[in-house]
Amino acid sequence: MPEIALTQDPAHVRHGSNIGQPLTRRDGILKVTGAARYAADNHLPGMLYAVLAVSSIARGRVTALDLEAAKGHPGVVEVMTPVNRPPLAQDPDAKTNPFMFRLDLLQNDRVRYANQPVAVVIAETLEAASEGAALLAPRYEAEAPRIGLDSSESFVPPAVGIGTPSEVRHGDVEAGLAAAAHRIEATYETPAQYHNPIEPHAILAAWDADRLSIDTPSQALAMARGRIAGLFGIPPENIHIRSPFLGGGFGCKGMIAGPQVLGILAARLVGRPVKLVLRRDQMFGPVGHRAETRQTLRLGAGQEGALTALEHRAKTASSSFDDFFEPSADVSHTLYASPAISTSYEAVRLDTGTPLFMRAPGEASGNIALECAIDEMAEACGMDPLAFRLKNYAEVEPITGKPFSSKALRECYAEGARRFGWAARPLAPRQMRDDAGLLVGWGMGTAVFPALMFQAEARAVIRSDGSGVMETGAQDMGQGAWTALAQIAADSLGLELDRLEFRAGSSDLPDAGIAGGSAHTATAGTAINGAGADVVGKLASLATVDRRSPLYGAGNAGVIARGGRLIRRDDEGRSESYADILARAGLAEIEGRARSAADPAAQSAYSMHAHGAVFAEVKVDPDLGQIRATRLVGAFAAGRIINPRLVRSQYYGGMIWGVSFALHERAVMDPSSGRPMNANLAEYHVPVNADVPSIEAILVEEHDPHVNALGIKGVGEIGVTGTAGAIASAVWHATGTRVRRFPITLDRLIGFDGST
Ligand code: MOS
């Protein structure tokens, strides 16, 4: 494990409470100086380089590979194909639980999608491996690929997302629509998007007999270890994964991906350490993506604008060989108080890689459709979009009738609207121009994301010198886990951060669960908080029953922990240091542990979500249709804020993704070859600084006593929701044109759009 020297600006550290402080990232200096070591930065003596050869067809069979040419190339050591690939203990196509996704590990000659690995070339240098891979020149027996939502027979998926029902009916939608004074029906399309973290999947794998050492990015170390153990038939304890930093995850590193396992297999085959790094174009296939959707909403409202019915139907796609169904319609269950709500799904199977979780999976694509439909319904009612949302505000979760564990959405609406200047918005579209004659439009969207809790463990130690250690296998994707979780750890141990050693990012530490679902701080943080409390409780037990201690007789609950001391609640002048307590007890250190998990009683009693409101301004060239998002204001309420600087940064990131969703990002598939045509960052558009000129995130105060002990909700994904819909509505407000196919590009706006 490389030594990780974490630093922070001491000016930000205030005595007594680390939680709530806007600390800079403790790993910030390491990252900006290039000292942070990512998986691909690692080297081992005797290491070889592996490069994938990937399929250029989307469906069919590989009939020939020029092994002679590849193996004859100087520097090439071995070529791994289905013929010589080392055996696995488990069929990569086995699926014993819904989250065991099928992997392409050279099990046969079938091609199921473009960019599927068909061979791995292993060489002394990266150049030799790349050249060897090119020399393989695969030949194929190709079949016509199924690409696009209309290319094959549709069916009703058994479940969507993480196992929620594919059909939900509450009340009578048809009756609600029939009784409505105003109705709308609209269909929205969202494209396939591919994960593009800065760091592609990379792995350095080294075997020592049946022990395996790996450097690879992972959002869930224990899960990755379990999957690899199953595939190779070795005990999980034999596998050590180091993942101190991830250059972004967004869901594609949530589960170990096929190419990572191929790196391990390559190392097995040659008996030497092997490094394998995906090229950018190889990210477009074997590591997951966000599936395309077509969503139809039918809404009805009474004379005064109260919703009478909300129907949300979604069509999506999975691969030909596995099941993941983007749960986009489920967002309609939560926000708006319609007496009748129904959601349903259909799906097709395509010759693509299996779609997977991608930042706000379902919530993002579904929210864009719902919020656009709400905007259209407000227009049909002649109402301001904010007034319409307040009119239909759900006081309790509409379908279940459960109260929200907390909901500060009204405050988000009010603070965001005030800051943005929403009150000056003309109701009709095409009313505003800037000095340069550009059309100006304002739109808004509601943001919502479930407050999830998974399971985690942490171990805490206080040492005889009064310093502390907190251990949990947490993953920092760039969101700031090294900092926010350490803040929680320091407070839980009653220490300042400089007296705490925080250990994370390694599979030999207690399982911190998954850095996903915007739940990592809540989940790992709750375990950390519990482990700290456990060790402090043990120290208090030692001191308060000892006549020699100034804390004698205070009772375990009668002391607080701060600054490395236990202090009497009833008399802060009486205290004792951790070092003194341990010394008197003759202990070198004392250890505490805790686990965290969702509280089933609280979960069944309350509906738990973070909420927000996003306001957007766009400018559109009236002649050319060029669109720019010029101003974004988001106000979010997400429970306790551990580090406002990091939380703002998460909201910015989410909102920028929302800009991307609305205006930039889509994978363009060639229907005849089935290949992604823009598998590079030049043509797969994501926003750059110039695309996001002004962005503001307001942290709305919220206290949620039910979600978990610390009241933490997630902040990572919610910013994507709300934003895309706000921008789409702003484009309508600027131009009077509703574009219902995303991303909204200038061709679609000026009516020349004949393509997908
Ligand atoms: Mo995320 S899609 O929860 O990594």
Side-chain angles (χ1 to χ4, degrees), residues 564-631:
R565 306 182 75 80
L566 293 185
I567 304 164
R568 282 185 82 115
R569 278 185 203 277
D570 58 0
D571 178 2
E572 296 218 356
R574 289 156 77 189
S575 69
E576 191 169 35
S577 74
Y578 297 168
D580 287 348
I581 298 169
L582 287 174
R584 207 176 41 242
L587 293 172
E589 60 176 47
I590 190 162
E591 178 193 282
R593 284 178 185 269
R595 305 173 68 95
S596 65
D599 170 5
Q603 298 251 317
S604 61
Y606 297 100
S607 174
M608 300 176 173
H609 300 270
H611 292 95
V614 181
F615 297 82
E617 177 184 271
V618 302
K619 293 187 177 180
V620 180
D621 186 307
D623 302 315
L624 303 176
Q626 189 185 43
I627 311 157
R628 288 200 179 280
T630 48
R631 197 155 63 88

Side-chain angles (χ1 to χ4, degrees), residues 195 219 249-252 254 357-361 449 477 515-518 717:
H195 305 85
Q219 293 174 241
F250 311 131
C252 69
F357 308 96
M358 182 162 167
R359 200 171 190 183
F449 197 82
M477 306 184 277
S518 299
E717 292 165 279

Side-chain angles (χ1 to χ4, degrees), residues 151-315:
S151 66
S152 74
E153 193 91 356
S154 74
F155 60 95
V156 175
V160 298
I162 53 168
T164 51
S166 52
E167 193 167 308
V168 171
R169 302 212 181 281
H170 167 74
D172 188 338
V173 162
E174 294 305 334
L177 286 169
H182 309 283
R183 277 175 285 271
I184 64 126
E185 172 170 352
T187 297
Y188 306 89
E189 293 189 14
T190 64
Q193 299 177 347
Y194 280 74
H195 305 85
N196 273 290
I198 295 175
E199 178 200 31
H201 291 63
I203 188 163
L204 171 53
W207 286 94
D208 177 6
D210 66 347
R211 303 189 76 82
L212 177 61
S213 167
I214 304 173
D215 295 281
T216 200
S218 168
Q219 293 174 241
L221 287 162
M223 255 167 54
R225 195 166 74 149
R227 181 74 162 117
I228 296 166
L231 284 165
F232 287 89
I234 56 176
E237 310 79 70
N238 283 19
I239 302 168
H240 185 191
I241 310 176
R242 287 165 301 271
S243 192
F245 305 111
L246 286 74
F250 311 131
C252 69
K253 296 166 184 167
M255 272 150 294
I256 204 84
Q260 289 163 294
V261 181
L262 288 170
I264 302 170
L265 280 162
R268 190 75 157 166
L269 181 67
V270 296
R272 285 165 69 176
V274 165
K275 175 151 67 176
L276 187 153
V277 183
L278 288 197
R279 286 198 315 261
R280 181 60 56 182
D281 57 294
Q282 294 174 338
M283 295 289 289
F284 287 71
V287 301
H289 64 279
R290 191 196 302 274
E292 62 220 273
T293 73
R294 183 183 296 144
Q295 304 173 55
T296 300
L297 282 99
R298 293 197 299 158
L299 272 61
Q303 205 59 51
E304 306 297 315
L307 284 171
T308 57
L310 193 179
E311 181 190 65
H312 193 160
R313 303 196 311 264
K315 185 172 188 181

